[in-house]
Amino acid sequence: SYYQYAAEIEGSGKTEDDLAMLRKEREYLNTLLVEQPNTNFGVIIMRQYLYDVYHYHLLRGLQVSTDERLKAIAEKAIKEVSYHKRFSGDWVIRLGDGTEVSRQKMQDALDSLWRYSNEFFIPNLAEANQEATGIAPDLTAIKEVYYSEIKQCLEEATLTVPDEVYFQKGGKQGMHTEHMGYLLADLQYMQRAYPQMVW
C-alpha cells in the first residue's frame, strides 16, 4: 500500500514493484536494524521485536495523519502489526526466560542489535518535513513510549539492557551496512535477470 501510494505521488509511470525492487542501494532509506543478517533464531526474533514495537507506535501516530490515504493505510495495518508485536514479544519473553542457552542467545542478540534501535527516532529530511505538516508523527514523541515498552518486555524476559554510548545511524540517509548489498542481490535478482517481468 505504501509503495502503491508512493508510485502514484511520484507520477513517473513507475509501479510499486519498481520502487520496491529496482532502486539503487543509496536510494533505500531504511534503518540499519532491518538489514542485519539472520544469524540465528534469537537474532531474528529480537530484531523483529525491536522493529515491531516501533512500527506499531508509528502506525498509531499515522492514524491521525493529515494525509487521508496514509491514515487509511495505518488504520488497516495496525491490526496485523499488533499481532506481530505480540508474537515477537512473546518469543522474546519465552526464550529470554527459558533455558540458560536460550537466554544467552537472546542476550547476545540484544547486545548486537540494541545499537541500531535509536535510529528510528532520528528524522531524515523527508520525515522532518512530514512531521512539520502533520502528515507523520513526531518521532521523538514515540521514542519515550517505545523504550518504556521495550524495557518492560526485556525485564520480563530477564534480559539486561545494554549500556550503549554510541548508537549507529545512517541507513535513513542511504548509508548502509555491508549486509545491504547481499539483501538487494536476492531481492532484485528476478527483476534484473528478467527485465519487465510481471507477477
Side-chain angles (χ1 to χ4, degrees):
S1 297
Y2 292 128
Y3 282 127
Q4 285 175 346
Y5 189 28
E8 289 173 24
I9 291 171
E10 189 179 55
S12 64
K14 291 181 180 176
T15 69
E16 61 268 29
D17 286 342
D18 293 324
L19 294 180
M21 292 181 270
L22 291 178
R23 285 178 288 161
K24 295 177 182 175
E25 182 178 351
R26 289 288 181 95
E27 295 174 321
Y28 287 85
L29 305 179
N30 55 271
T31 62
L32 298 175
L33 175 73
V34 299
E35 54 192 65
Q36 299 311 300
N38 299 334
T39 53
N40 63 52
F41 187 66
V43 168
I44 293 168
I45 288 296
M46 185 60 72
R47 183 189 60 213
Q48 191 63 47
Y49 178 66
L50 293 175
Y51 178 79
D52 287 340
V53 175
Y54 164 74
H55 194 193
Y56 173 80
H57 290 290
L58 177 67
L59 289 176
R60 285 190 64 195
L62 287 174
Q63 287 182 314
V64 295
S65 174
T66 57
D67 185 307
E68 291 299 320
R69 182 88 171 263
L70 282 177
K71 184 177 178 178
I73 291 171
E75 288 172 351
K76 183 176 181 182
I78 199 163
K79 295 173 187 172
E80 184 174 347
V81 172
S82 297
Y83 167 76
H84 290 169
K85 181 170 75 85
R86 186 171 62 251
F87 178 85
S88 60
D90 286 348
W91 269 109
V92 168
I93 294 167
R94 185 177 299 126
L95 294 171
D97 195 29
T99 68
E100 188 54 42
V101 171
S102 71
R103 185 191 176 285
Q104 188 59 56
K105 284 185 180 290
M106 293 306 287
Q107 186 65 57
D108 291 345
L110 178 61
D111 291 345
S112 69
L113 296 172
W114 187 253
R115 70 195 67 179
Y116 301 107
S117 64
N118 192 58
E119 188 178 13
F120 292 130
F121 312 107
I122 303 171
N124 62 20
L125 183 58
E127 290 169 322
N129 290 337
Q130 290 168 351
E131 177 192 326
T133 56
I135 293 173
D138 177 0
L139 295 178
T140 58
I142 295 174
K143 181 175 181 176
E144 185 176 345
V145 68
Y146 172 85
Y147 279 116
S148 175
E149 182 172 342
I150 292 284
K151 288 175 181 178
Q152 185 177 341
C153 176
L154 295 178
E155 184 177 343
E156 190 173 347
T158 69
L159 298 173
T160 304
V161 175
D163 294 324
E164 197 66 49
V165 176
Y166 179 79
F167 286 91
Q168 299 292 317
K169 61 183 186 292
K172 294 194 325 187
Q173 285 74 38
M175 304 293 289
H176 299 286
T177 66
E178 66 274 18
H179 310 298
M180 187 63 161
Y182 296 104
L183 291 172
L184 290 183
D186 282 343
L187 177 69
Q188 297 181 343
Y189 172 76
M190 292 298 285
Q191 283 290 338
R192 300 284 187 197
Y194 305 98
Q196 308 307 314
M197 167 185 169
V198 294
W199 303 108

